[in-house]
Amino acid sequence: MAALDASFDTTPHDQDGRLKLDLSTAVETDKQGHHTINLLVGNVHCGGCVRKIEDRLTKEPGIETARVNLSTRRLTVTWQGDTYHANDFAKAVEDLGYPVALYRMEAVVERDKNTERDLLMALAVSFFAAANLMMLAWAVWAGHFATMGQATRDFFHWIAALIAVPSVYYAGQPFFRSAIAALRKGRSNMDVPISVGVILTTLMSLYETWTGGPHVYFDGALSLLFILLIGRYLDHKVRGTARSAVHDLAMLAGQPVQKLLSDGRLQPVASDSLASGDRIQVAAGERIGVDGIVREGGSSIDTALIDGETTPKDVTVGAKVLAGTMNLTGPLIVEAKSVGEATVLAEIVRLLEAAEQKKGRYMAIADKVVRWYSPTVHALSLGAFLGWWLFGGMDVPEALMIAVCVLIITCPCALGLAVPITQVVAAGRLSRKGILVKSETALERFAAIDTIVFDKTGTLTTLEPRLVGLPDDESALTLASSIAASSKHPLAQSIRAAASDAPRIKDVEDTPGMGLSWMSEDGEVRLGSARWCGLSDTETAQHGKTIGGLETEVWLTRPGHAPARFAFSPLLRPQTKQVIDTLKARGFDVAIMSGDRARFVGPLAEQLGITDWQGDMTPADKIEAIETMKAGGKHVLMVGDGLNDTPALAAAHASLAPTSAADISRRAADAVFQGGSLQALPELLATSSGTRRIVLQNITFSVGYNLFWVPVAILGLVTPWIAAIAMAASSILVTLNALRLDGLKPFKRLATRTGTNPAGQPVATTAAEGAV
């Protein structure tokens, strides 16, 4: 039989089992000196396996994090020190009985294909053997009521043994190999009790055959394997469906592209082999393989994979395009700017995998239970055997059969899968909607939200406001553009775009929530809010002319010149009014907290139907307001994008930022969303609520399953067949229940939660519940 994890031959070993390949050559090191390596780990089947690996590695000196992704079997280790320690970490994992190789998505795909093929072959052998053994068993059973002699019965038993022994050896390989690998390292896993149960049943039957006993259980052993293999195969397929989000994205990142050579010829190459500045040709119907700039051609591109937007976007020369987007209508020549692991698509894959393997409160609870599960199960099985043999009047074969049933029926797979498989499905669903969750406890905290606070500029409005009012003095525009070149703020970028040829000024200071400043030869020049520029309401009224009720203004003050005003008219993000109305209808409290002038925030709030709003807020003001809400028993979600929003994002119960936000804001947020619409927000809240509910359902089911079936098995009321069906069904049902998240409908009903604030007063909050 082919090795069940053939892909692990990519990391060869010497005769002593030591790794030949120096893994330190595959280590990535960041600017802070933190080393990271990604490894592919075999024989990982449940949360118990994940816990053993992570617990072992965290004991290694210098390791900062060690995380195993259950869906992709990807082990990510981060540490400080010598890069050669990567070999020590791999050896430590292999000492636990888990083979290790360098992580490559191609290896994951190849491994999955090999595993599926081997499971199908083992399933076919077990079915053939079980069917023939059942026919022989029926003949023997019928003979008990007829005239079949002992010699004939023994003959049938020997024929059954000749069929059963090689069939058990072959069909049991998926379980035996994993169990042996674990036992060699002094460990146990879920396949150990399964293997013990099957082998004990076979050995008992061989003993009965050798001694001429009346009963054999060969048909039971093969039927047990057949049922277990059906469960393992279905579990493999269903979990493959659950992890398809990471798989599909990662495979897209590795697709070949057509490189345009200097002589005009096209050469197919791997996308990660390109360098910045290389050009590729993308035909209609192909996916773009790099982040870059369109240099020739025009087309419409489908960006749904990246930002969840379903409407194609038109691109022409000079437009930015991202890897993973689909070119729909015309050929394009694209100049690469970011390739391989530096693309937005690669970053999405990393964030998605990180989201899948994060450990929240529920995962920690499940891990603690699984930690004590195996020794408890083995103790119960031994106790059942001794109890029935010594005190129940049973002989050894009958008592052993009850012990086998206890071993099989109490497999911890369902509990081990209860939380991680739900996280995998939730992360995949959100990624398809353009939402990436970063924090390990984010989904749990998003599910508790009852109050949502929005920033204004760049959050409710787009990052490209219209510049509708310019100063009469052209020199003011030139100077403002030169200063604004140092900022990523959307208003600054709009000013820069209005005079992009102006020279860039160095030594510009950025004061979050206020504006920019630069010390010229004549004195300090400021660009920002009226308050930052030291202007009173009288001065702003004197030097500025209101164009409409919703515009925002930026001021430029410089020695010897009158203040210059730049007026902007905000563009609301698509569907913003509908999203706000939906959130309010579902019982959420909605507020706006903006650093913009109150006279500009008010009309926007009125337009959106938001009565709770504040303007002229500093970062400290926002934190104080959020802390006040939290003291009143509120669970606040902060949605913001600017540098000045970062403290508020950190202070809130949960936080969300667009991918267009400042770098530090994206890092501070618990989740980021892509695309121009706020529709991601109700989607995130509904998915979080549904995830919490399904996790609790899975944990409740897993605990209830064992509370029911363990006593039934100990009392001898189940056969190995029933035990195998129950064990396999428990894992499959947990996974199928998690997959229901894909059919979740946002905000089907309201749920009212009652709690108390810090003062002990009752507080009733209403939050949206997704329908699953």
Side-chain angles (χ1 to χ4, degrees):
M1 177 178 178
L4 290 176
D5 285 298
S7 58
F8 292 94
D9 294 339
T10 56
T11 304
H13 302 71
D14 60 22
Q15 293 180 348
D16 297 325
R18 293 188 296 269
L19 294 168
K20 285 183 181 180
L21 180 63
D22 182 6
L23 296 177
S24 64
T25 59
V27 173
E28 299 177 1
T29 304
D30 63 18
K31 295 180 180 179
Q32 288 74 39
H34 301 282
H35 307 306
T36 301
I37 191 168
N38 295 297
L39 301 173
L40 180 62
V41 184
N43 295 336
V44 178
H45 299 300
C46 66
C49 302
V50 172
R51 177 191 57 77
K52 289 177 184 177
I53 295 172
E54 293 179 350
D55 285 355
R56 174 64 183 85
L57 287 178
T58 52
K59 297 177 182 178
E60 292 288 324
I63 284 189
E64 296 178 342
T65 59
R67 292 288 183 264
V68 178
N69 187 313
L70 183 63
S71 64
T72 61
R73 273 66 168 182
R74 181 173 184 168
L75 166 62
T76 301
V77 185
T78 303
W79 76 99
Q80 288 186 314
D82 197 327
T83 58
Y84 189 77
H85 288 317
N87 299 287
D88 300 330
F89 304 151
K91 185 65 167 58
V93 175
E94 292 208 326
D95 286 344
L96 297 177
Y98 301 98
V100 172
L102 286 175
Y103 183 87
R104 295 182 299 109
M105 184 53 67
E106 296 84 354
V108 175
V109 175
E110 183 65 23
R111 180 211 63 202
D112 285 348
K113 289 181 179 178
N114 291 338
T115 300
E116 183 173 343
R117 180 198 63 203
D118 293 338
L119 286 173
L120 284 174
M121 292 176 64
L123 189 62
V125 169
S126 64
F127 172 75
F128 172 81
N132 284 275
L133 290 172
M134 288 289 288
M135 289 189 291
L136 290 172
W138 275 107
V140 173
W141 294 341
H144 283 299
F145 303 99
T147 58
M148 179 181 289
Q150 181 175 348
T152 304
R153 183 190 65 200
D154 291 346
F155 176 71
F156 280 148
H157 283 174
W158 279 109
I159 293 177
L162 291 174
I163 296 174
V165 172
S167 299
V168 167
Y169 173 79
Y170 185 88
Q173 288 297 310
F175 309 103
F176 300 160
R177 288 178 183 270
S178 174
I180 292 172
L183 292 175
R184 280 178 177 172
K185 307 299 181 180
R187 303 282 177 172
S188 178
N189 61 18
M190 59 173 283
D191 290 328
V192 171
I194 292 175
S195 300
V196 170
V198 172
I199 292 173
L200 279 178
T201 304
T202 305
L203 290 177
M204 282 192 300
S205 300
L206 281 174
Y207 175 80
E208 288 288 301
T209 300
W210 182 263
T211 59
H215 301 294
V216 296
Y217 308 96
F218 292 122
D219 57 326
L222 265 301
S223 299
L224 176 63
L225 273 178
F226 176 64
I227 295 171
L228 289 171
L229 285 167
I230 289 176
R232 180 64 60 89
Y233 177 76
L234 291 176
D235 182 59
H236 174 78
K237 296 294 288 185
V238 171
R239 288 168 67 179
T241 300
R243 65 175 175 259
S244 61
V246 171
H247 171 269
D248 291 347
L249 288 175
M251 291 304 292
L252 282 175
Q255 287 186 344
V257 297
Q258 296 292 327
K259 181 180 179 181
L260 183 63
L261 304 179
S262 57
D263 59 4
R265 292 184 298 113
L266 295 176
Q267 178 184 4
V269 298
S271 59
D272 56 5
S273 69
L274 294 171
S276 179
D278 287 343
R279 295 193 175 193
I280 64 172
Q281 178 174 293
V282 186
E286 293 182 348
R287 289 196 180 272
I288 300 172
V290 298
D291 291 355
I293 306 294
V294 176
R295 294 307 183 193
E296 296 181 25
S299 182
S300 294
I301 59 173
D302 180 359
T303 63
L305 183 69
I306 300 297
D307 57 21
E309 296 286 345
T310 58
T311 303
K313 298 178 180 177
D314 294 331
V315 295
T316 57
V317 174
K320 295 180 180 180
V321 292
L322 299 177
T325 55
M326 175 71 76
N327 182 22
L328 297 177
T329 57
L332 297 172
I333 301 297
V334 177
E335 180 182 331
K337 294 299 182 182
S338 300
V339 300
E341 292 298 310
T343 63
V344 172
L345 179 61
E347 178 65 17
I348 291 174
V349 172
R350 287 192 292 270
L351 288 173
L352 181 54
E353 288 192 325
E356 289 184 356
Q357 64 191 31
K358 296 293 186 181
K359 292 192 173 183
R361 179 166 55 96
Y362 297 126
M363 187 66 189
I365 294 173
D367 277 354
K368 289 180 181 179
V369 175
V370 171
R371 186 186 303 271
W372 298 102
Y373 208 93
S374 292
T376 302
V377 167
H378 287 85
L380 287 173
S381 179
L382 178 62
F385 168 73
L386 294 175
W388 283 106
W389 179 41
L390 297 176
F391 308 107
M394 286 187 177
D395 55 20
V396 171
E398 292 177 311
L400 275 176
M401 189 60 66
I402 292 178
V404 167
C405 291
V406 174
L407 281 174
I408 294 171
I409 210 166
T410 52
C411 176
C413 303
L415 188 57
L417 285 171
V419 180
I421 199 68
T422 309
Q423 287 182 317
V424 168
V425 176
R429 173 188 170 91
L430 291 174
S431 73
R432 290 190 292 271
K433 303 293 185 180
I435 307 166
L436 300 172
V437 179
K438 298 162 50 186
S439 169
E440 62 270 21
T441 61
L443 288 178
E444 297 170 21
R445 287 183 283 115
F446 278 120
I449 292 301
D450 50 42
T451 302
I452 303 170
V453 174
F454 291 96
D455 176 43
K456 173 181 165 285
T457 305
T459 304
L460 291 172
T461 62
T462 67
L463 284 175
E464 298 178 355
R466 292 175 296 175
L467 183 56
V468 296
L470 291 172
D472 296 331
D473 186 353
E474 291 186 4
S475 65
L477 174 60
T478 301
L479 179 59
S481 174
S482 298
I483 295 175
S486 300
S487 175
K488 289 186 176 181
H489 192 283
L491 298 181
Q493 290 178 351
S494 293
I495 294 175
R496 180 62 181 172
S500 57
D501 295 334
R504 181 185 295 266
I505 292 179
K506 298 181 179 179
D507 301 325
V508 174
E509 294 187 7
D510 188 343
T511 302
M514 294 295 182
L516 306 170
S517 62
W518 173 62
M519 187 60 66
S520 69
E521 294 180 356
D522 298 326
E524 187 179 34
V525 179
R526 288 194 174 190
L527 179 69
S529 66
R531 181 169 57 172
W532 169 244
C533 293
L535 300 176
S536 65
D537 290 341
T538 302
E539 290 175 301
T540 58
Q542 177 183 353
H543 295 285
K545 179 181 179 182
T546 300
I547 300 173
L550 295 178
E551 73 267 12
T552 298
E553 60 185 10
V554 170
W555 290 87
L556 175 73
T557 57
R558 49 183 173 159
H561 293 79
R565 178 178 184 265
F566 299 84
F568 300 84
S569 179
L571 295 174
L572 283 177
R573 285 180 178 268
Q575 300 178 311
T576 297
K577 184 65 166 65
Q578 296 92 316
V579 169
I580 298 298
D581 290 344
T582 299
L583 295 174
K584 291 171 61 180
R586 308 321 300 177
F588 289 98
D589 293 332
V590 180
I592 298 177
M593 294 183 186
S594 176
D596 207 348
R597 300 291 295 274
R599 62 190 177 96
F600 300 138
V601 180
L604 179 67
E606 183 179 357
Q607 179 181 345
L608 295 175
I610 299 175
T611 57
D612 184 1
W613 61 270
Q614 297 181 63
D616 294 301
M617 298 189 75
T618 65
D621 294 335
K622 293 183 180 182
I623 293 178
E624 182 180 357
I626 288 175
E627 293 296 341
T628 300
M629 291 180 177
K630 291 166 64 177
K634 299 288 188 180
H635 295 87
V636 182
L637 168 63
M638 178 67 196
V639 187
D641 76 307
L643 189 63
N644 60 318
D645 295 318
T646 304
L649 292 170
H653 186 71
S655 54
L656 178 67
T659 53
S660 55
D663 291 343
I664 191 171
S665 299
R666 293 201 307 271
R667 289 196 295 269
D670 295 311
V672 294
F673 68 92
Q674 303 183 73
S677 173
L678 285 175
Q679 194 62 45
L681 179 54
E683 173 66 36
L684 174 59
L685 294 174
T687 301
S688 301
S689 179
T691 299
R692 178 181 61 181
R693 185 165 51 258
I694 285 183
V695 163
L696 293 176
Q697 290 172 357
N698 281 350
I699 292 177
T700 302
F701 169 78
S702 301
V703 173
Y705 161 85
N706 286 284
L707 290 177
F708 175 79
W709 282 109
V710 171
V712 172
I714 292 176
L715 292 174
L717 301 179
V718 298
T719 65
W721 287 20
I722 296 175
I725 292 173
M727 187 274 286
S730 65
S731 298
I732 294 172
L733 287 175
V734 163
T735 305
L736 290 176
N737 190 42
L739 287 173
R740 291 170 58 230
L741 270 174
D742 278 334
L744 177 144
K745 298 178 181 179
F747 307 135
K748 182 178 180 181
R749 63 179 182 273
L750 295 175
T752 301
R753 296 188 293 270
T754 302
T756 58
N757 62 19
Q761 300 168 328
V763 177
T765 59
T766 304
E769 294 282 350
V772 179

